């Protein structure tokens, strides 16, 4: 069974940093692209970033480009999102999602999300 | 990377069919056949319903179907059931090597 478990969310002040992690199991992690998607409570989904299976092809939403960095550790079956210079508008649930091989593929499995709250 | 345009809400009675539109541009929906649809029930993670415009993952009901014409994709749900009441999101790959979601559509089963 595919499982994705996010962690690292919490309350952080504007301008500070936070690192999210996603631990996966139930599939061969290094065969698949991975993504981060966020959702403000009660609002719609926003794609944040994606990384190909080999980590070479990476994409970001304009809203986070230059502030967020996606990475993966295939040896540890883990996906990360380093979030710097956080803003109030980054407050959201952050979901880790499993794609297929490239960034254009659909998001086939999702975690349950971790809440990031940016507030002073 | 502007969000794709979806109607805020749609409704239908059990047994009826409804369609949800998803309008993009020539930089996303209009140029790529990488349109997906997701279903999200309250408090739950999204679930993939349709990939590559019209393909269904194993286990997804045949009542769900997808199509595309020019810059607009559509999700059709036939034989509406009470459990179909949820939020629905479209997404597309874009020429910026990113993905973009629609604003979401709330489906009410009357």
């Amino acid at each position: 069974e595919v499982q994705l478990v996010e962690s690292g969310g919490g309350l952080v002040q504007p301008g500070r940093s936070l690192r999210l992690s996603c631990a996966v199991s139930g599939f061969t992690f290094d065969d698949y692209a991975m993504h981060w998607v966020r959702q403000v409570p009660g609002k719609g989904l926003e794609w944040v970033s994606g990384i190909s299976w080999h980590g070479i092809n990476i994409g970001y939403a304009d809203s986070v480009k230059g502030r967020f960095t996606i990475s993966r550790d295939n040896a540890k079956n883990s996906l990360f999102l380093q979030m710097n210079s956080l803003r109030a508008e980054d407050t959201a649930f952050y979901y880790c999602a499993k794609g297929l091989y490239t960034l254009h593929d659909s998001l086939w499995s999702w975690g349950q999300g971790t809440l990031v709250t940016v507030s002073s | 990377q502007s969000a794709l345009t979806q109607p805020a809400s749609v409704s239908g009675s059990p047994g009826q069919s409804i369609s949800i539109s998803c309008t993009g541009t020539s930089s996303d929906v209009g140029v790529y056949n990488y349109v997906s649809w997701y279903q999200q029930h309250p408090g739950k993670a999204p679930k993939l319903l349709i990939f590559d415009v019209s393909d269904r993952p194993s286990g997804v009901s045949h009542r769900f179907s997808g199509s595309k014409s020019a810059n607009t994709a559509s999700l059709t749900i036939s034989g509406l059931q009470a459990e179909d009441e949820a939020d629905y999101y479209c997404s597309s790959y874009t020429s910026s090597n990113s993905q973009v979601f629609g604003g979401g559509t709330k489906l009410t089963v009357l």
Side-chain angles (χ1 to χ4, degrees):
Chain A
E1 179 190 5
V2 172
Q3 289 196 337
L4 304 100
V5 180
E6 304 91 341
S7 61
L11 175 63
V12 60
Q13 294 179 329
R16 304 296 292 265
S17 298
L18 205 60
R19 188 191 196 211
L20 303 183
S21 300
C22 174
V24 313
S25 60
F27 64 101
T28 304
F29 180 66
D30 53 10
D31 279 350
Y32 294 94
M34 297 294 296
H35 302 258
W36 289 100
V37 176
R38 68 185 181 184
Q39 184 173 35
V40 174
K43 302 297 184 181
L45 301 172
E46 181 187 13
W47 182 85
V48 173
S49 181
I51 184 169
S52 60
W53 64 272
H54 43 42
I56 294 176
N57 188 7
I58 290 175
Y60 296 100
D62 286 345
S63 58
V64 306
K65 200 171 294 183
R67 299 188 299 123
F68 290 12
T69 302
I70 191 172
S71 62
R72 62 190 298 160
D73 185 338
N74 288 344
K76 296 184 178 179
N77 288 352
S78 294
L79 177 72
F80 305 102
L81 185 68
Q82 178 66 41
M83 305 185 295
N84 298 332
S85 303
L86 282 162
R87 306 167 180 167
E89 54 265 37
D90 296 319
T91 294
F93 281 98
Y94 284 74
Y95 293 100
C96 164
K98 169 183 170 286
L100 279 182
Y101 311 114
T102 67
L103 295 195
H104 60 65
D105 294 316
S106 303
L107 308 183
W108 286 71
S109 300
W110 298 62
Q112 288 305 306
T114 186
L115 179 61
V116 172
T117 303
V118 184
S119 175
S120 54
Chain B
Q1 292 179 352
S2 298
L4 306 176
T5 300
Q6 299 181 231
S9 63
V10 297
S11 63
S13 299
Q16 288 186 331
S17 295
I18 63 96
S19 288
I20 300 172
S21 62
C22 170
T23 301
T25 70
S26 57
S27 295
D28 39 63
V29 175
V31 70
Y32 298 106
N33 287 325
Y34 299 129
V35 175
S36 306
W37 289 91
Y38 301 88
Q39 177 191 60
Q40 186 180 33
H41 286 106
K44 300 293 187 181
K47 171 189 172 183
L48 178 64
L49 288 179
I50 298 288
F51 67 98
D52 295 351
V53 174
S54 59
D55 290 335
R56 269 186 313 274
S58 173
V60 171
S61 172
H62 285 72
R63 298 186 299 106
F64 296 92
S65 61
S67 62
K68 190 187 86 166
S69 176
N71 293 346
T72 298
S74 296
L75 172 72
T76 299
I77 309 174
S78 59
L80 268 181
Q81 299 179 0
E83 59 261 35
D84 298 333
E85 187 161 294
D87 293 325
Y88 292 84
Y89 296 90
C90 62
S91 74
S92 175
Y93 179 69
T94 85
S95 59
S96 301
N97 194 36
S98 64
Q99 294 203 21
V100 62
F101 281 94
T105 298
K106 181 177 180 59
L107 169 62
T108 300
V109 180
L110 302 171

